[in-house]
Amino acid sequence: MIRFAIFAVLSLALAGSAIMRLSAEHQVREERRAIARLDRQEKQLQAEIDRLRFEVEVLESAPRLGELSADRLSLAPGSGEQMADGDVLRGVIDPAPRVETQP
């Protein structure tokens, strides 16, 4: 009877340790999957960061800024009329139509 009890206790201890080991291995596999998923996400985000940095570099490049300034800014010398009349100069600086109400 004592041998049977000792055998039962040892069998339970062995089964318990096997279950604990399987549980630990399962947790390790889950953690490895999570790490791999985070690594893939990090690579995707780094690729997106690199793409956006390149886009900013292109948008802020000297040739592009020169092209934009040539298209949108008229860098012609001012005329004498602009220097003499402030309203003409203001129209050149801010070409938006003005609506002024005078009392």
Side-chain angles (χ1 to χ4, degrees), residues 21-71:
R21 179 179 175 173
L22 290 174
S23 174
E25 285 178 2
H26 177 71
Q27 289 176 351
V28 167
R29 277 188 241 115
E30 288 296 320
E31 292 299 321
R32 284 183 181 160
R33 285 186 200 121
I35 289 171
R37 186 172 46 250
L38 289 173
D39 284 341
R40 284 191 306 271
Q41 185 179 8
E42 180 185 14
K43 287 178 184 177
Q44 288 173 346
L45 291 174
Q46 189 61 46
E48 181 72 11
I49 288 170
D50 293 341
R51 186 187 66 79
L52 290 172
R53 282 188 179 151
F54 178 73
E55 188 174 330
V56 167
E57 185 178 321
V58 168
L59 291 174
E60 292 179 348
S61 67
R64 183 171 186 285
L65 292 177
E67 179 184 317
L68 286 175
S69 67
D71 290 346

